[in-house]
Amino acid sequence: MTAKTIMSDTVQLTTQDGVATITLNRPKQLNSFNEEMHNALAAALDSVVANEQVRAVIITGAGKGFCAGQDLGNRDPRKQTYDLGKTINEYYNPLMKRLKNIDKPTIAVVNGVAAGAGIGIALACDIVLCSDKAKFAMAFGKIGLVPDSGLTWTLVQLVGLSRAKALVLTNATLTAEQALEYGLVWKVFESDRLMEEAVEMATILAYGPALGTSLTIKALNQATSNSLEEQLELEANYQQKAGYSDDYKEGVTAFLEKRAAVFYNPEN
Ligand code: T3D
């Protein structure tokens, strides 16, 4: 059964079989952000966190783009000056924190061009899939800005300092194949198969052991700032929690009974 909730014209949310799909919906502006879309996306993310039936989340864009970052139609520095620090603190940073704190697996489905903060959103998700037509345009330097949406951190983690510097300082636009080669995306699909593949992956995640999955994501996220000793301690703590879960009981029972484990029943 599909439940469709339209948060606003700018963001659509549908849920099916434990999978929530959030679609950025300003296709004429390549799904770039105005205030309304920021607010609607925040509401959609809060709603999927609160909904226990949602066990995996897809974020994608309507039309031919994924997200082109800030709507530049909303900015005219010839007429006024802008305190961009304020908009980053009010909108982009809370968005990045919301994405990082979702306790369910997130998949960015980059259906077309991602630029500026649009890349930040994709890379804040746990897994990034993209279409063979996708492009990743760094963009910030072209308008005199600094990479935001966590990109100065995420890019260094993903591709290393030297490549990250070259990418942003040259305002590089990566093709899907290059993004794959650099490790920014997990898999590239032909555009007409992308969503089907993404839903299949999200459904597998949704039917997986929710607590174990969420603790695994947390552990991997924390690895970037922890020492090995801290990480070993954290693994012991998380394993203790997972070991007390019904999913562990079901997983081992299924193994012993030589059947597939059932971690999720949408009817319950
Ligand atoms: O301001 C703050 O709050 C600070 C926060 C900053 C966060 C940021 O994200 S800063 C970076 C902002 N984004 C950009 O600088 C990207 C600007 N766009 C582009 O560089 C290119 O459009 C793309 C590389 C994304 C795509 O190029 P292409 O050739 O595939 O498409 P196009 O023809 O340029 O764009 C198609 C339409 O989308 C076009 O509209 P039109 O002419 O058909 O009516 C274009 O104006 C519109 N569009 C694309 N990006 C934006 C946009 N409209 C508004 N804002 C955009 N960012």
Side-chain angles (χ1 to χ4, degrees):
M1 196 187 89
T2 305
K4 186 165 185 176
T5 318
I6 300 195
M7 309 302 294
S8 91
D9 288 346
T10 57
V11 172
Q12 292 176 345
L13 171 63
T14 60
T15 53
Q16 182 166 29
D17 242 3
V19 177
T21 300
I22 295 174
T23 306
L24 307 177
N25 189 38
R26 301 185 72 230
K28 283 188 188 146
Q29 295 83 12
L30 296 180
N31 306 315
S32 55
F33 277 94
N34 60 8
E35 260 182 56
E36 186 188 347
M37 194 169 96
H38 267 297
N39 290 330
L41 180 56
L45 292 171
D46 288 348
S47 143
V48 299
V49 167
N51 185 346
E52 283 182 11
Q53 284 302 313
V54 172
R55 294 165 63 96
V57 182
I58 285 174
I59 300 179
T60 192
K64 68 178 185 141
F66 174 69
C67 172
Q70 172 63 35
D71 185 336
L72 297 180
N74 281 352
R75 300 276 182 259
D76 190 348
R78 294 167 299 186
K79 296 192 177 139
Q80 66 175 99
T81 53
Y82 297 90
D83 179 352
L84 298 187
K86 191 163 177 277
T87 61
I88 297 295
N89 280 320
E90 271 180 23
Y91 293 108
Y92 289 97
N93 285 355
L95 168 58
M96 290 306 126
K97 289 178 193 167
R98 268 194 175 86
L99 284 170
K100 272 291 161 212
N101 290 333
I102 295 180
D103 59 348
K104 311 176 187 203
T106 53
I107 304 179
V109 179
V110 182
N111 50 305
V113 67
I119 301 177
I121 291 167
L123 300 187
C125 292
D126 298 316
I127 297 174
V128 186
L129 305 179
C130 80
S131 136
D132 53 358
K133 297 193 170 58
K135 289 186 291 186
F136 295 80
M138 294 302 156
F140 297 96
K142 283 194 180 167
I143 54 169
L145 293 186
V146 177
D148 56 34
S149 308
L151 277 172
T152 56
W153 188 87
T154 320
L155 280 175
V156 173
Q157 299 288 337
L158 288 174
V159 302
L161 182 58
S162 159
R163 259 183 175 169
K165 280 183 180 165
L167 282 175
V168 296
L169 293 176
T170 64
N171 297 310
T173 296
L174 297 180
T175 61
E177 285 307 319
Q178 287 170 318
L180 182 67
E181 183 196 329
Y182 287 9
L184 299 184
V185 310
W186 168 241
K187 278 188 182 168
V188 179
F189 294 103
E190 284 171 18
S191 55
D192 56 356
R193 279 185 44 224
L194 175 66
M195 205 48 177
E196 195 185 317
E197 295 281 353
V199 169
E200 191 181 323
M201 177 184 270
T203 307
I204 290 169
L205 289 168
Y207 277 76
L211 179 67
T213 301
S214 134
L215 291 173
T216 301
I217 293 168
K218 262 175 91 175
L220 291 170
N221 284 339
Q222 286 169 279
T224 51
S225 54
N226 274 351
S227 65
L228 176 61
E229 281 69 24
E230 288 166 325
Q231 201 65 13
L232 289 172
E233 197 177 322
L234 174 152
E235 285 176 4
N237 287 338
Y238 288 2
Q239 201 69 299
Q240 183 180 46
K241 287 194 174 96
Y244 288 136
S245 70
D246 288 344
D247 288 339
Y248 175 64
K249 194 169 156 191
E250 164 62 9
V252 177
T253 305
F255 174 79
L256 296 174
E257 293 177 357
K258 299 189 185 303
R259 61 171 175 82
V262 180
F263 298 115
Y264 172 54
N265 180 352
E267 302 305 318
N268 293 337

